[in-house]
Amino acid sequence: AGRLRTAGGSLSMSTAFHEAVLDIETRVASAGPTVHEQLGELASRFTELTATPTDPFSRESTLLSARGLTQGIRRRAAELNAAQEEANARIRARAEQISELAARLGETNLAIQRSGDPTAHDERDRIAGQLTDLTGGTARIDGDGQMRFVLDGGAVLVDGNHAAALRSTTDATTGDQRLEVVAGAITRDVTANITSGSLGADLQVRDVVIAKARTDLDQLAFDISTSYNTAHRANAGLDGVSGRDMFTQPTQVAGAAKAMAVDPALDADPSLLATAPAGGAVGDNAGAKALLAVS
């Protein structure tokens, strides 16, 4: 029975992990054209701009592609944030469910101690299986006939007829849910210890999969903005002025995707798009070529 419960915990984690990751992939895919496709579209617009650097329509088309790129990245950042919030909601809900099951397991242990009712034994095994599916913890029956349920890392959730609670609290720094085993006046943080069961899957998805995707997207947004801005600053718009950004320059990698946008001044006036070299003729396309080279 113990081996079956252990296998059930592993299966629950795999199933929950697969479903959550599939949901994230669907969310990102539904955010429109891929970033690669949008970068290719922007490169095409710069190619056209090298041929007609002063054409207002070409300039507006280029800015339209740049806006589409920033909107696509922001949408993906929003989808990842939503996936993180949903993972936290699942963690809260599972913690409540686990606390309820732990209390019932303690009550069933007491019923068995008092009467030895065979149906109570079956109920106890069923509850232990549910707890293992959720947490990946271990249930054992000691010499006194009482079942103990222990989470990975050693935190005791149920000891005979004494049941602790699994409490979900909001981390003041990250806003994510943390998990604590509360037994009377003793509180133990077990967030890092739960690595199996459906609860472990939610933690893994939130803290590894989503966290890495957000970091990678932020880094991509930071690199795109910085690279284009470097080329754009070195060249000039139709007014002959250089030193302007193409995108709002992020101050750090974290949060770059969520905040990515075309520079407000450029967004309002396509003539500021730096297609000419600094100090060069208005019709010179060296700036457009430099921006194309970034693509």
Side-chain angles (χ1 to χ4, degrees):
R3 287 196 294 271
L4 285 172
R5 283 193 293 267
T6 299
S10 297
L11 177 60
S12 292
M13 179 176 184
S14 298
T15 302
F17 185 85
H18 170 75
E19 291 174 351
V21 171
L22 185 62
D23 176 67
I24 294 169
E25 290 177 348
T26 302
R27 284 174 175 276
V28 172
S30 67
T34 66
V35 175
H36 177 75
E37 291 169 341
Q38 290 179 312
L39 284 170
E41 174 68 19
L42 184 58
S44 296
R45 300 287 78 77
F46 279 128
T47 299
E48 295 173 0
L49 204 57
T50 60
T52 55
T54 61
D55 179 56
F57 178 78
S58 294
R59 287 175 166 271
E60 181 56 45
S61 296
T62 302
L63 280 184
L64 185 64
S65 293
R67 293 185 198 110
L69 172 63
T70 62
Q71 290 165 2
I73 289 178
R74 290 200 306 271
R75 279 196 299 268
R76 284 168 174 81
E79 290 294 349
L80 290 174
N81 287 340
Q84 182 181 16
E85 290 175 3
E86 289 184 6
N88 278 315
R90 290 195 301 272
I91 290 168
R92 284 194 299 270
R94 294 195 202 279
E96 292 177 3
Q97 185 181 4
I98 290 164
S99 293
E100 292 172 2
L101 288 170
R104 286 169 52 194
L105 182 57
E107 292 167 1
T108 308
N109 269 328
L110 182 60
I112 291 172
Q113 186 181 42
R114 289 175 174 174
S115 67
D117 184 356
T119 59
H121 283 82
D122 292 340
E123 174 68 3
R124 184 173 68 178
D125 287 342
R126 189 180 67 82
I127 295 171
Q130 289 178 302
L131 281 172
T132 303
D133 287 348
L134 285 164
T135 68
T138 303
R140 71 172 191 269
I141 299 176
D142 292 337
D144 59 1
Q146 294 288 282
M147 179 177 281
R148 270 79 183 175
F149 194 91
V150 183
L151 300 175
D152 290 342
V156 178
L157 190 61
V158 180
D159 185 7
N161 61 354
H162 300 289
L166 186 64
R167 183 173 63 191
S168 177
T169 61
T170 302
D171 187 293
T173 302
T174 66
D176 284 333
Q177 295 299 300
R178 301 198 62 79
L179 296 168
E180 300 171 337
V181 170
V182 181
I186 300 174
T187 300
R188 177 175 174 178
D189 190 321
V190 296
T191 310
N193 300 119
I194 299 177
T195 57
S196 188
S198 51
L199 181 57
D202 289 329
L203 291 167
Q204 182 82 359
V205 166
R206 185 194 71 185
D207 297 340
V208 179
V209 177
I210 296 176
K212 185 178 187 305
R214 291 178 67 181
T215 298
D216 289 348
L217 188 63
D218 280 340
Q219 186 67 62
L220 179 62
F222 182 90
D223 291 344
I224 289 172
S225 298
T226 301
S227 298
Y228 275 109
N229 284 348
T230 298
H232 200 266
R233 289 178 195 138
N235 293 282
L238 295 182
D239 59 358
V241 177
S242 60
R244 299 187 181 102
D245 286 332
M246 180 173 173
F247 297 103
T248 301
Q249 179 59 41
T251 58
Q252 60 181 11
V253 173
K258 182 180 178 180
M260 189 176 183
V262 174
D263 180 78
L266 176 60
D267 198 31
D269 186 358
S271 72
L272 303 185
L273 193 60
T275 53
V282 170
D284 194 321
N285 66 357
K289 288 182 176 179
L291 291 166
L292 176 60
V294 174
S295 304

